[in-house]
Amino acid sequence: MTGASGNVGTALLRRLDEERDVEVVGVVRRPPSGEQASYRGVRWVAADLSDRSCLPALADSVTGADAVVHLAWGFQPSHDLAYLTRLGVGGTAHVLETVRDAGVPHLVHVSSVGAYAPRISTVPIDETWPTTGIPGSGYSSDKVAAERLLDQHVEQDVAPVVSRLRPGLVGQRRAAAELLRYGAPALLPRAALGLVPVLPLDRGLAVPVVHADDVADAVVRLLRTPRAGAFNLAGDGEVTGQDVADALGARLVHVPFAVLRRAADLSWRARLQPLDAGWVALGERVPLLDCARARDVLGWRPTRTAVQVLEEVITGMREGAAGTSPPLRARSVPREVVQMLRHGPVSHRREP
């Protein structure tokens, strides 16, 4: 499992704890240690998928595997787009190459709703919707490029069988610190989330959201019975601007997406916050998801609605919830300041 210490990865490790006779190799850039390495039965391997130097370790990790679950992806540093592409697209190429060479029969690739073309309405779309991405989003263009690599492999009709999951935005309580660290200014204390009087957002915001545990459940179902093709995953309903305002206890103030994009771009360029304008473009145009195929083929059902996932994450942010792995570690303003002084803001540094 690549990216085993991240948001979905840790949820999948918890889920696999319930399975019998499962051996897991976790391929990550920063292997957990001590208490962080307490996931039962996991052998940790250090490898940076952005560089071909990872291939020997990756080959050793997948030898004899029944399946490889590819989760590794990068969101920061957002000012180093070349690195994020090397990690997301290049890393997928390295995984696919290694899996083919080792004769692994099954690859589960976790893609994203961000791979889809822009919506034309709020009617949920199925897996036949074009995967041409959201213009202006680097994250989306990399997800599309990774899917093209899989398309080229599938056209050859050789092993491995490729399963693709396309979840909406993924959240869980344990990822609250990570999401706040990657998406908010370093000097913003979590207590400030309870003091937001107004929230400037476009009232047309509507995005699919799914819980990390539900994504993990879909992965396990595919590992039990490999199925080729793509599967949408989302909690019932969607998250709107009003839902976000309600979760924060704030009053929604309508600000058009065009203005939000400009404000995000200027503040990102000024190093005031870590998210580029591409994330606003994604929020504006990403489609809602029809999950009928996951229900019918996998027997999958979400256990939380989209709004329940949002509320869980916001509550976790306010309460300082975190995980035990390096990516999900607790966030504190003093530590963020020290890291910023030593290594630069999160939008410029690769986490040590």
Side-chain angles (χ1 to χ4, degrees):
M1 184 195 313
T2 70
S5 60
N7 183 8
V8 176
T10 54
L12 181 53
L13 289 180
R14 293 194 302 271
R15 181 66 178 80
L16 289 173
D17 261 350
E18 304 170 8
E19 301 294 311
R20 296 182 179 180
D21 302 323
V22 174
E23 297 179 7
V24 179
V25 179
V27 180
V28 296
R29 190 165 61 87
R30 295 171 290 164
S33 60
E35 179 188 355
Q36 297 174 343
S38 62
Y39 295 105
R40 178 170 59 85
V42 180
R43 177 167 71 89
W44 295 99
V45 173
D48 184 347
L49 298 186
S50 69
D51 190 278
R52 286 190 65 82
S53 63
C54 74
L55 292 178
L58 200 56
D60 177 68
S61 300
V62 307
T63 299
D66 296 304
V68 169
V69 180
H70 180 40
L71 302 170
W73 203 265
F75 301 92
Q76 295 292 351
S78 60
H79 281 272
D80 191 351
L81 298 180
Y83 169 74
L84 294 181
T85 298
R86 290 198 305 274
L87 175 58
V89 184
T92 300
H94 296 153
V95 169
L96 187 55
E97 174 185 342
T98 305
V99 167
R100 279 194 306 237
D101 290 347
V104 178
H106 187 203
L107 172 64
V108 179
H109 174 80
V110 178
S111 184
S112 168
V113 64
Y116 282 124
R119 71 185 183 208
I120 57 176
S121 73
T122 56
V123 176
I125 57 96
D126 66 16
E127 293 81 0
T128 63
W129 194 255
T131 52
T132 52
I134 305 294
S137 168
Y139 168 82
S140 178
S141 63
D142 284 350
K143 285 294 186 182
V144 170
E147 290 233 12
R148 292 295 84 80
L149 294 174
L150 300 178
D151 291 342
Q152 293 167 15
H153 166 79
V154 170
E155 289 172 359
Q156 298 173 20
D157 194 26
V158 295
V161 171
V162 176
S163 307
R164 312 184 202 195
L165 295 177
R166 295 179 184 144
L169 305 183
V170 182
Q172 61 167 320
R173 177 180 171 82
R174 290 177 178 87
E178 178 193 38
L179 296 173
L180 191 58
R181 182 167 53 253
Y182 285 175
L187 298 179
L188 180 73
R190 56 185 173 84
L193 293 176
L195 304 173
V196 179
V198 296
L199 182 68
L201 271 181
D202 192 301
R203 66 170 65 96
L205 178 73
V207 295
V209 176
V210 64
H211 199 279
D213 287 346
D214 290 332
V215 179
D217 179 63
V219 173
V220 170
R221 290 171 184 271
L222 283 168
L223 293 177
R224 288 174 178 163
T225 308
R227 303 279 190 173
F231 298 87
N232 291 341
L233 301 176
D236 292 338
E238 66 275 346
V239 166
T240 66
Q242 187 61 58
D243 293 326
V244 179
D246 291 344
L248 291 171
R251 180 170 62 88
L252 178 67
V253 174
H254 173 67
V255 177
F257 279 118
V259 176
L260 293 173
R261 285 197 305 273
R262 182 61 173 163
D265 184 58
L266 291 175
S267 57
W268 176 74
R269 292 179 186 276
R271 280 56 170 174
L272 298 177
Q273 56 85 24
L275 293 180
D276 64 79
W279 289 97
V280 179
L282 203 70
E284 176 184 6
R285 308 187 69 186
V286 74
L288 301 180
L289 298 176
D290 181 339
C291 302
R293 184 165 193 258
R295 292 195 303 269
D296 296 343
V297 176
L298 304 181
W300 178 85
R301 298 288 189 281
T303 60
R304 284 89 153 179
T305 68
V307 171
Q308 286 173 333
V309 179
L310 169 70
E311 293 172 344
E312 178 179 322
V313 171
I314 296 296
T315 299
M317 288 179 174
R318 285 173 170 164
E319 296 177 353
T324 58
S325 69
L328 304 189
R329 69 181 186 275
R331 174 188 183 271
S332 72
V333 171
R335 187 181 190 281
E336 292 301 311
V337 171
V338 170
Q339 289 287 82
M340 186 167 58
L341 292 175
R342 288 180 177 176
H343 307 289
V346 70
S347 60
H348 286 71
R349 70 174 186 258
R350 300 175 202 174
E351 292 286 351

